[in-house]
């Protein structure tokens, strides 16, 4: 948690994000291998996740996928 997504983990610790949502975010960013890209994705997710409190799991995954796609298209999970 704190090693891959430290900013998002801080939002979780602050109580602004539930564990299920954090798991979705972690799963949707798992394929990112470049540490710089992962840090940028973590920053963008942490800044925006407070605005997404009532999203369904699918919509949260889609929002995270959109951020990942902008920064590392190869790391987006495909069905």
């Amino acid at each position: 948690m704190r090693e891959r997504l430290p900013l998002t983990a801080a939002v979780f610790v602050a109580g602004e994000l539930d564990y299920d949502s954090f798991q979705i975010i972690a799963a949707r960013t798992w394929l990112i291998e470049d540490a710089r890209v992962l840090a940028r994705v973590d920053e963008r997710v942490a800044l925006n996740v407070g605005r997404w409190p009532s999203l369904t799991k699918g919509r949260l995954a889609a929002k995270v996928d959109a951020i990942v796609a902008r920064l590392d298209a190869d790391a987006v999970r495909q069905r």
Side-chain angles (χ1 to χ4, degrees):
M1 224 188 224
R2 64 186 163 168
E3 293 167 5
R4 270 188 72 76
L5 301 168
L7 300 175
T8 305
V11 173
F12 170 71
V13 169
E16 297 177 30
L17 181 66
D18 65 3
Y19 185 69
D20 290 337
S21 297
F22 186 84
Q23 281 185 313
I24 291 168
I25 294 166
R28 303 314 282 192
T29 59
W30 189 252
L31 294 177
I32 300 173
E33 296 176 358
D34 186 333
R36 290 176 294 170
V37 172
L38 183 60
R40 288 176 57 203
V41 168
D42 181 32
E43 180 182 358
R44 290 192 183 182
V45 169
L47 288 173
N48 289 302
V49 76
R51 296 184 225 164
W52 306 333
S54 60
L55 291 180
T56 64
K57 292 178 182 181
R59 291 194 63 153
L60 175 60
K63 292 276 191 180
V64 174
D65 285 349
I67 291 172
V68 172
R70 273 187 242 124
L71 299 173
D72 187 358
D74 292 333
V76 176
R77 290 196 176 265
Q78 301 292 326
R79 289 185 189 214

